[in-house]
């Protein structure tokens, strides 16, 4: 692997790590909204977001386990 490829891989891993942190924050905030809300429409919308965030988080974590 040449130096450029190594730098690209390091940057990609850093990007995925940042994405993982952002998704974790989004999941926490979305869960708070679901718990505190009394509006069923809002709860349903937030639950859909939560499911999407969790699926994305699984993909990110899988990539970080094996970045090649």
């Amino acid at each position: 692997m040449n130096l450029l490829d190594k730098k690209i891989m390091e940057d990609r891993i850093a990007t995925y790590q940042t994405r993982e942190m952002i998704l974790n924050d989004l999941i926490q905030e979305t869960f708070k909204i679901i718990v505190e809300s009394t509006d069923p429409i809002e709860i349903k919308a937030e639950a859909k977001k939560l499911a999407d965030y969790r699926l994305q988080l699984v993909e990110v974590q899988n990539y970080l386990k094996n970045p090649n």
Side-chain angles (χ1 to χ4, degrees):
M1 182 182 294
N2 65 31
L3 181 61
L4 180 59
D5 288 340
K6 184 177 178 182
K7 292 292 184 185
I8 290 170
M9 184 59 72
E10 289 172 358
D11 185 56
R12 184 175 292 141
I13 290 171
T15 300
Y16 271 82
Q17 289 169 335
T18 302
R19 188 173 169 206
E20 180 180 32
M21 289 187 296
I22 291 169
L23 286 167
N24 280 322
D25 289 344
L26 286 169
I27 288 168
Q28 289 177 357
E29 291 303 313
T30 303
F31 188 72
K32 286 179 188 176
I33 293 169
I34 291 171
V35 169
E36 295 172 358
S37 181
T38 57
D39 180 14
I41 295 171
E42 181 182 35
I43 292 171
K44 183 177 180 180
E46 294 299 317
K48 287 181 181 180
K49 288 181 191 176
L50 182 61
D52 182 52
Y53 297 152
R54 292 195 60 162
L55 289 172
Q56 288 182 49
L57 183 60
V58 167
E59 291 175 6
V60 167
Q61 289 172 335
N62 285 339
Y63 177 81
L64 288 172
K65 286 180 186 175
N66 186 16
N68 294 328

